[in-house]
Amino acid sequence: MRPPEPTPRPARAGPDLALRKARAEAAAAEKAVAAASAQRLKECLALKATERIRHLDDPDLVQADRVTLRRSLEASLVPERRRIPVPRLLRRGQWSRHTRSFLIRVTLSPLMIGLVVVVGPWLYVSWQNTRPLATMTQRGLVSFRLPDGRKEYLDLPNGMTATVFDRSAAEPVIGVWYPRLGYATAAVPRTSLQFWR
């Protein structure tokens, strides 16, 4: 008869294995506590602000969730800022109505009325006192009298713009600017000018 085979002894749990097992259990417990705290925080956030104050030191909440609850209370105590209304998409007929009302408001604003009252007469007087302009419709050689009394002949091209000094004369008087001297004037046939106004 053969002697019985020796049965292997169970290996002793080393300190490393026990440490890993303890760490895993601690992580699982921490995760369970965090999940329970998150659930409790969700319940607390659903409460009114006055009731949330009572749960600031709730033992079921972890520190991070207590901070979240405290911040939610601070946010609810700050007065709500005035919201800027976002315009809705307007229907077809509303665009013209809104544009028309905006233009009426701008036209009747005090600033616009002040500009019209002050700037309008000034522009009118400036326009009336500005010499009219004319365009040459024919090319020609014209004798000009310079401000110092000399005479000079200039070949005026077709399409040249000149300042009109005397429009009412039979032959209107036009002027051409000479730097440092002033306007040189000459009478030209009315048919060779096209007045701007």
Side-chain angles (χ1 to χ4, degrees):
M1 190 169 182
R2 288 174 61 188
E5 291 183 15
T7 57
R9 292 183 181 177
R12 288 185 182 176
D16 292 340
L17 183 62
L19 185 62
R20 269 185 272 146
K21 186 177 177 186
R23 282 181 182 163
E25 288 173 0
E30 205 173 298
K31 197 181 282 186
V33 168
S37 177
Q39 181 63 33
R40 183 69 179 149
L41 176 66
K42 192 175 178 183
E43 293 168 5
C44 291
L45 289 176
L47 300 172
K48 293 180 181 176
T50 52
E51 294 174 13
R52 271 185 271 164
I53 292 174
R54 295 183 194 144
H55 296 282
L56 282 176
D57 294 322
D58 194 327
D60 294 339
L61 294 174
V62 294
Q63 185 60 32
D65 289 342
R66 284 183 191 159
V67 171
T68 305
L69 183 63
R70 187 171 286 115
R71 285 188 182 154
S72 76
L73 275 168
E74 289 170 0
S76 66
L77 296 175
V78 173
E80 210 174 299
R81 290 184 181 175
R82 191 175 170 195
R83 292 179 183 170
I84 299 170
V86 178
R88 293 173 296 165
L89 290 175
L90 301 175
R91 279 171 273 171
R92 228 181 217 176
Q94 289 179 331
W95 279 110
S96 60
R97 190 170 70 242
H98 283 285
T99 305
R100 192 169 46 245
S101 70
F102 173 75
L103 290 175
I104 289 170
R105 275 183 284 160
V106 168
T107 305
L108 296 178
S109 70
L111 177 65
M112 190 59 70
I113 292 171
L115 282 174
V116 169
V117 167
V118 173
V119 176
W122 179 78
L123 286 174
Y124 177 75
V125 169
S126 301
W127 177 258
Q128 290 301 319
N129 292 333
T130 304
R131 296 186 189 275
L133 298 175
T135 305
M136 298 295 296
T137 57
Q138 299 170 4
R139 183 177 178 171
L141 192 64
V142 180
S143 171
F144 279 90
R145 181 173 297 280
L146 274 69
D148 59 3
R150 291 181 295 130
K151 279 192 175 181
E152 189 171 318
Y153 287 92
L154 290 176
D155 185 19
L156 299 180
N158 186 11
M160 178 190 156
T161 302
T163 305
V164 180
F165 281 82
D166 186 6
R167 185 177 179 173
S168 59
E171 288 193 337
V173 177
I174 64 167
V176 175
W177 179 256
Y178 274 75
R180 297 196 194 96
L181 291 176
Y183 277 101
T185 57
V188 294
R190 186 175 286 276
T191 55
S192 66
L193 292 175
Q194 181 180 357
F195 295 98
W196 286 24
R197 60 179 174 94

